[in-house]
Amino acid sequence: MEYADDVAPARFTSLPSWLLSRAAGVGHRLLAERLAEAGARGYHYRLLATLEEFGPASQATLGRRSGIHLSDLVAVLNDLEGRGFVERTPDPADKRRNVITITAAGRREGKRLGERLDQVQEELLAPLTAKEREQLTELLGRIVAHHQAA
C-alpha cells in the first residue's frame, strides 16, 4: 500500500537532473546484476571492449581510454589475465612497461558480455520506441559532449 508521504515532491522529481540520476541508478543496477550473473563486472567489459577496438596498449593508455583509474586497473588486469582473457608482455620500446593484448578467449568473453549489455539496454529502455531510444541516445551524447568540452 502506498501512502501520500511516500511520494517525493514534484519540485525536484520533475527536474531533468533528478530524472537522469534515477535512470542512471536503474541502469547501473541492471548492468551490475546482469554482469554479476555472468561472473563479471563493468570494468571487465570496458577493458575487453577497449582492447578489442583499439588493439594492444600500455596500462596507462588503457586507463585513459577506458576511464578506469590506474589504482583499479591493475587489479582488473590481474583478474582478466588470470582468466586467460588478456596477456601482458614487455613493451619492446620501453622494457619498464607492459603492453596488454586481448586473447582469443578475451574476444569471446567480450562478445558474451556485450550480449549481456544489449539485454540491459533492452530492459532499461523497454518503455521507449526505437525512434525514442535513438533520440534519447543522441540527446544524452550531446549533453556529455558539451560538458566534456568545458
Side-chain angles (χ1 to χ4, degrees):
M1 175 184 258
E2 266 189 53
Y3 297 98
D5 59 353
D6 291 342
V7 178
R11 219 167 171 172
F12 62 83
T13 60
S14 61
L15 295 171
S17 57
W18 167 265
L19 294 168
L20 283 168
S21 294
R22 296 293 298 238
V26 171
H28 181 75
R29 179 184 53 78
L30 291 172
L31 178 67
E33 288 172 359
R34 297 305 165 266
L35 289 177
E37 290 167 0
R41 296 187 327 241
Y43 281 176
H44 292 142
Y45 179 76
R46 285 166 59 179
L47 279 178
L48 293 173
T50 300
L51 286 166
E52 178 103 34
E53 186 167 334
F54 295 105
S58 70
Q59 290 180 190
T61 299
L62 274 176
R64 283 190 303 275
R65 287 181 176 161
S66 66
I68 299 173
H69 194 274
L70 291 178
S71 63
D72 296 322
L73 186 68
V74 173
V76 177
L77 286 172
N78 288 342
D79 190 20
L80 291 173
E81 185 177 38
R83 296 178 185 203
F85 298 147
V86 301
E87 293 176 340
R88 287 183 180 132
T89 56
D91 185 339
D94 184 349
K95 300 290 185 203
R96 295 171 296 169
R97 69 179 176 196
N98 290 315
V99 173
I100 314 303
T101 306
I102 191 170
T103 64
R107 289 181 195 284
R108 287 190 300 274
E109 179 70 358
K111 184 176 190 288
R112 184 177 79 94
L113 296 179
E115 291 168 357
R116 290 279 177 152
L117 265 65
D118 291 344
Q119 293 170 359
V120 168
Q121 306 317 301
E122 286 300 316
E123 193 171 348
L124 178 66
L125 302 176
L128 304 179
T129 66
K131 183 176 179 172
E132 289 170 332
R133 291 174 187 202
E134 288 176 26
Q135 289 173 324
L136 176 64
T137 302
E138 192 271 327
L139 292 169
L140 291 172
R142 282 176 40 199
I143 291 169
V144 169
H146 170 82
H147 291 285
Q148 282 180 337

